[in-house]
Amino acid sequence: MKTNRRSFITKSIVGAALLTNANLFSAQAESMVSLKKSKKISINQNDIILFQGDSITDNGRDRNNKNVNDNGALGSGYVNLAAANLLEKYADKNLKIYNRGISGNRVPDLQNRWQQDTLDLQPTILSILIGVNDFWRTKDSGATNTPEQFKKQYQDLLQQTLSKLPQVKLIIGEPFGVKNVKHVTDDWYPDFLAYQNACVEISKEFDAALISYQSIFDQAQLKASGSYWTTDGVHTSLAGASLMAKGWLDVIK
């Protein structure tokens, strides 16, 4: 584990500097190639893999079902598809895979349930996809959480995680929006880019693998329209879920 990552466990985090428009658009360009640059995560014997996030991760899972490696507990989205691949490919590794995504969640919601739904499970690999609701609620519900506040909350969450689970391997999913499909309109931009950029920066600060979902969906639209991959610009179709699962599995070496 890198020295600069260990130092995050003990040092306090200062407020982030204000982002410029140039930073935002350069981050968007960087996202187009970050899949190639992203660090890779190895699968080891007895790994505990936990998926955390909002409705995209939740995807209809039975929240009363706490079993590992269970269809009902994993939902019907990208988590289930990725888990199926992992369990087949690494049948000899005794993997335990959980889904604890909850629809509508923002980072503060994760903070409120982090002990029970993450730390108590003691994952060795932790995948987080969060951020679209942190932005979206500022548009449809009058929330006032800024990109800077979002980034600080996310940093605090990961600092807490590393203080309890210093060896955990982190995977950060970039929040995405497929433009001109129902909810994702021109009004989202450029503001949404700041939340995406925060996730890119956080992945570097915490030595996490980054899944550039925005780039993945942008490239997919060269084959089919956005409405083919998502139902509303955010939530995936079956094809979109498969696309996300493949993106997730690409960071596994």
Side-chain angles (χ1 to χ4, degrees), residues 125-155:
I125 298 175
L126 172 60
S127 174
I128 307 173
L129 173 60
I130 201 73
V132 70
N133 289 319
D134 297 78
F135 164 75
W136 200 351
R137 297 295 85 86
T138 69
K139 292 296 183 182
D140 67 3
S141 301
T144 58
N145 203 30
T146 66
E148 294 74 31
Q149 290 171 320
F150 164 71
K151 183 177 180 181
K152 178 62 165 59
Q153 292 162 355
Y154 209 155
Q155 288 173 317

mmCIF file of all heavy atoms in Angstrom, residues 125-155:
data_model
loop_
_atom_site.group_PDB
_atom_site.id
_atom_site.type_symbol
_atom_site.label_atom_id
_atom_site.label_comp_id
_atom_site.label_asym_id
_atom_site.label_seq_id
_atom_site.Cartn_x
_atom_site.Cartn_y
_atom_site.Cartn_z
ATOM 1 N N ILE A 125 -12.526 -5.910 -0.775
ATOM 2 C CA ILE A 125 -12.685 -5.089 -1.976
ATOM 3 C C ILE A 125 -13.993 -4.322 -1.831
ATOM 4 O O ILE A 125 -15.054 -4.914 -1.621
ATOM 5 C CB ILE A 125 -12.711 -5.943 -3.258
ATOM 6 C CG1 ILE A 125 -11.383 -6.687 -3.444
ATOM 7 C CG2 ILE A 125 -13.006 -5.073 -4.480
ATOM 8 C CD1 ILE A 125 -11.367 -7.640 -4.628
ATOM 9 N N LEU A 126 -13.917 -3.007 -1.923
ATOM 10 C CA LEU A 126 -15.094 -2.149 -1.744
ATOM 11 C C LEU A 126 -15.307 -1.316 -2.996
ATOM 12 O O LEU A 126 -14.445 -0.517 -3.378
ATOM 13 C CB LEU A 126 -14.909 -1.238 -0.529
ATOM 14 C CG LEU A 126 -15.970 -0.157 -0.311
ATOM 15 C CD1 LEU A 126 -17.356 -0.768 -0.128
ATOM 16 C CD2 LEU A 126 -15.600 0.709 0.899
ATOM 17 N N SER A 127 -16.452 -1.507 -3.642
ATOM 18 C CA SER A 127 -16.802 -0.764 -4.850
ATOM 19 C C SER A 127 -17.920 0.216 -4.520
ATOM 20 O O SER A 127 -18.956 -0.173 -3.979
ATOM 21 C CB SER A 127 -17.263 -1.743 -5.935
ATOM 22 O OG SER A 127 -17.741 -1.056 -7.070
ATOM 23 N N ILE A 128 -17.708 1.496 -4.849
ATOM 24 C CA ILE A 128 -18.686 2.538 -4.545
ATOM 25 C C ILE A 128 -19.060 3.281 -5.820
ATOM 26 O O ILE A 128 -18.190 3.771 -6.540
ATOM 27 C CB ILE A 128 -18.139 3.547 -3.520
ATOM 28 C CG1 ILE A 128 -17.609 2.848 -2.270
ATOM 29 C CG2 ILE A 128 -19.221 4.561 -3.138
ATOM 30 C CD1 ILE A 128 -16.900 3.775 -1.301
ATOM 31 N N LEU A 129 -20.355 3.367 -6.086
ATOM 32 C CA LEU A 129 -20.874 4.211 -7.160
ATOM 33 C C LEU A 129 -21.887 5.159 -6.533
ATOM 34 O O LEU A 129 -22.988 4.758 -6.161
ATOM 35 C CB LEU A 129 -21.530 3.350 -8.245
ATOM 36 C CG LEU A 129 -22.259 4.124 -9.359
ATOM 37 C CD1 LEU A 129 -21.301 5.058 -10.096
ATOM 38 C CD2 LEU A 129 -22.934 3.165 -10.333
ATOM 39 N N ILE A 130 -21.502 6.419 -6.412
ATOM 40 C CA ILE A 130 -22.344 7.411 -5.740
ATOM 41 C C ILE A 130 -22.083 8.770 -6.385
ATOM 42 O O ILE A 130 -21.017 8.987 -6.970
ATOM 43 C CB ILE A 130 -22.054 7.457 -4.222
ATOM 44 C CG1 ILE A 130 -23.227 8.062 -3.439
ATOM 45 C CG2 ILE A 130 -20.745 8.163 -3.930
ATOM 46 C CD1 ILE A 130 -24.415 7.157 -3.325
ATOM 47 N N GLY A 131 -23.051 9.672 -6.283
ATOM 48 C CA GLY A 131 -22.810 11.030 -6.743
ATOM 49 C C GLY A 131 -23.904 11.609 -7.622
ATOM 50 O O GLY A 131 -24.130 12.817 -7.617
ATOM 51 N N VAL A 132 -24.597 10.763 -8.382
ATOM 52 C CA VAL A 132 -25.600 11.328 -9.281
ATOM 53 C C VAL A 132 -26.744 11.954 -8.494
ATOM 54 O O VAL A 132 -27.249 13.025 -8.863
ATOM 55 C CB VAL A 132 -26.117 10.265 -10.284
ATOM 56 C CG1 VAL A 132 -26.960 9.201 -9.596
ATOM 57 C CG2 VAL A 132 -26.896 10.934 -11.409
ATOM 58 N N ASN A 133 -27.153 11.343 -7.372
ATOM 59 C CA ASN A 133 -28.214 11.940 -6.559
ATOM 60 C C ASN A 133 -27.726 13.162 -5.800
ATOM 61 O O ASN A 133 -28.517 14.096 -5.548
ATOM 62 C CB ASN A 133 -28.775 10.921 -5.572
ATOM 63 C CG ASN A 133 -29.584 9.844 -6.256
ATOM 64 O OD1 ASN A 133 -30.351 10.105 -7.165
ATOM 65 N ND2 ASN A 133 -29.398 8.604 -5.825
ATOM 66 N N ASP A 134 -26.457 13.186 -5.422
ATOM 67 C CA ASP A 134 -25.901 14.358 -4.747
ATOM 68 C C ASP A 134 -26.051 15.590 -5.637
ATOM 69 O O ASP A 134 -26.296 16.696 -5.153
ATOM 70 C CB ASP A 134 -24.433 14.115 -4.412
ATOM 71 C CG ASP A 134 -24.236 12.966 -3.440
ATOM 72 O OD1 ASP A 134 -24.309 11.799 -3.890
ATOM 73 O OD2 ASP A 134 -24.036 13.221 -2.243
ATOM 74 N N PHE A 135 -25.891 15.375 -6.950
ATOM 75 C CA PHE A 135 -26.122 16.460 -7.902
ATOM 76 C C PHE A 135 -27.600 16.624 -8.238
ATOM 77 O O PHE A 135 -28.147 17.726 -8.194
ATOM 78 C CB PHE A 135 -25.340 16.214 -9.193
ATOM 79 C CG PHE A 135 -25.825 17.058 -10.330
ATOM 80 C CD1 PHE A 135 -25.509 18.405 -10.388
ATOM 81 C CD2 PHE A 135 -26.654 16.527 -11.316
ATOM 82 C CE1 PHE A 135 -25.999 19.213 -11.421
ATOM 83 C CE2 PHE A 135 -27.135 17.318 -12.352
ATOM 84 C CZ PHE A 135 -26.800 18.667 -12.411
ATOM 85 N N TRP A 136 -28.260 15.544 -8.578
ATOM 86 C CA TRP A 136 -29.636 15.565 -9.096
ATOM 87 C C TRP A 136 -30.593 16.261 -8.140
ATOM 88 O O TRP A 136 -31.476 17.022 -8.552
ATOM 89 C CB TRP A 136 -30.083 14.135 -9.356
ATOM 90 C CG TRP A 136 -31.239 13.957 -10.281
ATOM 91 C CD1 TRP A 136 -32.056 14.921 -10.801
ATOM 92 C CD2 TRP A 136 -31.707 12.710 -10.806
ATOM 93 N NE1 TRP A 136 -33.011 14.357 -11.611
ATOM 94 C CE2 TRP A 136 -32.818 12.988 -11.636
ATOM 95 C CE3 TRP A 136 -31.311 11.376 -10.654
ATOM 96 C CZ2 TRP A 136 -33.526 12.007 -12.303
ATOM 97 C CZ3 TRP A 136 -32.019 10.395 -11.317
ATOM 98 C CH2 TRP A 136 -33.102 10.702 -12.143
ATOM 99 N N ARG A 137 -30.427 16.010 -6.833
ATOM 100 C CA ARG A 137 -31.332 16.616 -5.853
ATOM 101 C C ARG A 137 -31.181 18.138 -5.805
ATOM 102 O O ARG A 137 -32.097 18.830 -5.346
ATOM 103 C CB ARG A 137 -31.088 16.015 -4.471
ATOM 104 C CG ARG A 137 -31.373 14.535 -4.344
ATOM 105 C CD ARG A 137 -32.838 14.188 -4.539
ATOM 106 N NE ARG A 137 -33.212 14.025 -5.938
ATOM 107 C CZ ARG A 137 -33.083 12.894 -6.623
ATOM 108 N NH1 ARG A 137 -32.566 11.822 -6.047
ATOM 109 N NH2 ARG A 137 -33.455 12.840 -7.883
ATOM 110 N N THR A 138 -30.051 18.673 -6.291
ATOM 111 C CA THR A 138 -29.929 20.133 -6.362
ATOM 112 C C THR A 138 -30.782 20.695 -7.495
ATOM 113 O O THR A 138 -31.106 21.884 -7.496
ATOM 114 C CB THR A 138 -28.468 20.568 -6.569
ATOM 115 O OG1 THR A 138 -28.022 20.191 -7.888
ATOM 116 C CG2 THR A 138 -27.548 19.953 -5.530
ATOM 117 N N LYS A 139 -31.149 19.824 -8.426
ATOM 118 C CA LYS A 139 -31.959 20.263 -9.565
ATOM 119 C C LYS A 139 -33.448 20.046 -9.341
ATOM 120 O O LYS A 139 -34.272 20.865 -9.739
ATOM 121 C CB LYS A 139 -31.519 19.515 -10.837
ATOM 122 C CG LYS A 139 -30.138 19.884 -11.333
ATOM 123 C CD LYS A 139 -30.074 21.340 -11.758
ATOM 124 C CE LYS A 139 -28.725 21.700 -12.322
ATOM 125 N NZ LYS A 139 -28.649 23.146 -12.701
ATOM 126 N N ASP A 140 -33.817 18.920 -8.732
ATOM 127 C CA ASP A 140 -35.245 18.593 -8.645
ATOM 128 C C ASP A 140 -35.838 18.732 -7.251
ATOM 129 O O ASP A 140 -37.055 18.650 -7.094
ATOM 130 C CB ASP A 140 -35.517 17.184 -9.192
ATOM 131 C CG ASP A 140 -34.902 16.078 -8.346
ATOM 132 O OD1 ASP A 140 -34.296 16.377 -7.295
ATOM 133 O OD2 ASP A 140 -35.027 14.898 -8.742
ATOM 134 N N SER A 141 -34.977 18.941 -6.236
ATOM 135 C CA SER A 141 -35.512 19.001 -4.868
ATOM 136 C C SER A 141 -34.988 20.180 -4.068
ATOM 137 O O SER A 141 -35.221 20.262 -2.865
ATOM 138 C CB SER A 141 -35.175 17.700 -4.127
ATOM 139 O OG SER A 141 -35.725 16.589 -4.788
ATOM 140 N N GLY A 142 -34.231 21.051 -4.692
ATOM 141 C CA GLY A 142 -33.744 22.234 -4.004
ATOM 142 C C GLY A 142 -32.630 21.995 -3.011
ATOM 143 O O GLY A 142 -32.367 22.837 -2.143
ATOM 144 N N ALA A 143 -31.960 20.845 -3.093
ATOM 145 C CA ALA A 143 -30.819 20.582 -2.203
ATOM 146 C C ALA A 143 -29.710 21.579 -2.503
ATOM 147 O O ALA A 143 -29.597 22.099 -3.618
ATOM 148 C CB ALA A 143 -30.325 19.154 -2.387
ATOM 149 N N THR A 144 -28.883 21.847 -1.503
ATOM 150 C CA THR A 144 -27.854 22.879 -1.650
ATOM 151 C C THR A 144 -26.434 22.328 -1.565
ATOM 152 O O THR A 144 -25.482 23.080 -1.467
ATOM 153 C CB THR A 144 -28.025 23.969 -0.567
ATOM 154 O OG1 THR A 144 -27.953 23.347 0.731
ATOM 155 C CG2 THR A 144 -29.354 24.682 -0.732
ATOM 156 N N ASN A 145 -26.272 21.014 -1.591
ATOM 157 C CA ASN A 145 -24.944 20.415 -1.484
ATOM 158 C C ASN A 145 -24.098 20.751 -2.711
ATOM 159 O O ASN A 145 -24.448 20.401 -3.839
ATOM 160 C CB ASN A 145 -25.073 18.887 -1.352
ATOM 161 C CG ASN A 145 -23.860 18.270 -0.697
ATOM 162 O OD1 ASN A 145 -23.193 18.891 0.115
ATOM 163 N ND2 ASN A 145 -23.567 17.034 -1.059
ATOM 164 N N THR A 146 -22.985 21.431 -2.500
ATOM 165 C CA THR A 146 -22.124 21.847 -3.600
ATOM 166 C C THR A 146 -21.138 20.734 -3.964
ATOM 167 O O THR A 146 -20.940 19.789 -3.188
ATOM 168 C CB THR A 146 -21.315 23.088 -3.203
ATOM 169 O OG1 THR A 146 -20.397 22.722 -2.158
ATOM 170 C CG2 THR A 146 -22.228 24.214 -2.725
ATOM 171 N N PRO A 147 -20.484 20.837 -5.120
ATOM 172 C CA PRO A 147 -19.454 19.860 -5.456
ATOM 173 C C PRO A 147 -18.344 19.787 -4.417
ATOM 174 O O PRO A 147 -17.822 18.705 -4.132
ATOM 175 C CB PRO A 147 -18.918 20.352 -6.800
ATOM 176 C CG PRO A 147 -20.032 21.137 -7.393
ATOM 177 C CD PRO A 147 -20.724 21.787 -6.226
ATOM 178 N N GLU A 148 -18.007 20.941 -3.849
ATOM 179 C CA GLU A 148 -16.960 20.964 -2.837
ATOM 180 C C GLU A 148 -17.398 20.233 -1.568
ATOM 181 O O GLU A 148 -16.618 19.495 -0.955
ATOM 182 C CB GLU A 148 -16.569 22.415 -2.503
ATOM 183 C CG GLU A 148 -15.903 23.165 -3.647
ATOM 184 C CD GLU A 148 -16.873 23.577 -4.746
ATOM 185 O OE1 GLU A 148 -18.070 23.835 -4.441
ATOM 186 O OE2 GLU A 148 -16.445 23.647 -5.917
ATOM 187 N N GLN A 149 -18.653 20.430 -1.172
ATOM 188 C CA GLN A 149 -19.182 19.715 -0.010
ATOM 189 C C GLN A 149 -19.264 18.217 -0.288
ATOM 190 O O GLN A 149 -18.920 17.399 0.571
ATOM 191 C CB GLN A 149 -20.562 20.270 0.352
ATOM 192 C CG GLN A 149 -20.534 21.674 0.922
ATOM 193 C CD GLN A 149 -21.916 22.269 1.057
ATOM 194 O OE1 GLN A 149 -22.774 22.089 0.188
ATOM 195 N NE2 GLN A 149 -22.145 22.996 2.141
ATOM 196 N N PHE A 150 -19.715 17.869 -1.481
ATOM 197 C CA PHE A 150 -19.777 16.464 -1.887
ATOM 198 C C PHE A 150 -18.403 15.812 -1.800
ATOM 199 O O PHE A 150 -18.251 14.713 -1.249
ATOM 200 C CB PHE A 150 -20.326 16.377 -3.315
ATOM 201 C CG PHE A 150 -20.103 15.048 -3.992
ATOM 202 C CD1 PHE A 150 -20.805 13.921 -3.597
ATOM 203 C CD2 PHE A 150 -19.193 14.931 -5.035
ATOM 204 C CE1 PHE A 150 -20.599 12.690 -4.226
ATOM 205 C CE2 PHE A 150 -18.984 13.719 -5.675
ATOM 206 C CZ PHE A 150 -19.686 12.597 -5.270
ATOM 207 N N LYS A 151 -17.398 16.481 -2.310
ATOM 208 C CA LYS A 151 -16.045 15.923 -2.301
ATOM 209 C C LYS A 151 -15.553 15.739 -0.872
ATOM 210 O O LYS A 151 -14.971 14.698 -0.529
ATOM 211 C CB LYS A 151 -15.085 16.834 -3.063
ATOM 212 C CG LYS A 151 -13.669 16.282 -3.150
ATOM 213 C CD LYS A 151 -12.770 17.189 -3.974
ATOM 214 C CE LYS A 151 -11.358 16.621 -4.054
ATOM 215 N NZ LYS A 151 -10.445 17.502 -4.827
ATOM 216 N N LYS A 152 -15.793 16.738 -0.009
ATOM 217 C CA LYS A 152 -15.346 16.637 1.383
ATOM 218 C C LYS A 152 -16.052 15.490 2.100
ATOM 219 O O LYS A 152 -15.424 14.730 2.857
ATOM 220 C CB LYS A 152 -15.621 17.957 2.095
ATOM 221 C CG LYS A 152 -15.246 17.991 3.577
ATOM 222 C CD LYS A 152 -13.756 17.779 3.789
ATOM 223 C CE LYS A 152 -13.322 18.172 5.200
ATOM 224 N NZ LYS A 152 -14.023 17.429 6.258
ATOM 225 N N GLN A 153 -17.352 15.341 1.871
ATOM 226 C CA GLN A 153 -18.102 14.242 2.490
ATOM 227 C C GLN A 153 -17.566 12.891 2.028
ATOM 228 O O GLN A 153 -17.420 11.957 2.828
ATOM 229 C CB GLN A 153 -19.586 14.372 2.140
ATOM 230 C CG GLN A 153 -20.277 15.556 2.775
ATOM 231 C CD GLN A 153 -21.580 15.915 2.083
ATOM 232 O OE1 GLN A 153 -21.944 15.330 1.053
ATOM 233 N NE2 GLN A 153 -22.294 16.895 2.632
ATOM 234 N N TYR A 154 -17.268 12.789 0.766
ATOM 235 C CA TYR A 154 -16.742 11.545 0.189
ATOM 236 C C TYR A 154 -15.361 11.233 0.769
ATOM 237 O O TYR A 154 -15.049 10.091 1.143
ATOM 238 C CB TYR A 154 -16.672 11.694 -1.330
ATOM 239 C CG TYR A 154 -16.823 10.408 -2.129
ATOM 240 C CD1 TYR A 154 -17.298 10.449 -3.444
ATOM 241 C CD2 TYR A 154 -16.489 9.161 -1.606
ATOM 242 C CE1 TYR A 154 -17.447 9.293 -4.193
ATOM 243 C CE2 TYR A 154 -16.639 7.999 -2.356
ATOM 244 C CZ TYR A 154 -17.107 8.074 -3.647
ATOM 245 O OH TYR A 154 -17.240 6.931 -4.401
ATOM 246 N N GLN A 155 -14.532 12.258 0.858
ATOM 247 C CA GLN A 155 -13.198 12.081 1.457
ATOM 248 C C GLN A 155 -13.308 11.599 2.904
ATOM 249 O O GLN A 155 -12.579 10.696 3.326
ATOM 250 C CB GLN A 155 -12.418 13.394 1.397
ATOM 251 C CG GLN A 155 -11.943 13.771 0.013
ATOM 252 C CD GLN A 155 -11.335 15.167 -0.011
ATOM 253 O OE1 GLN A 155 -11.875 16.110 0.602
ATOM 254 N NE2 GLN A 155 -10.240 15.326 -0.715
#
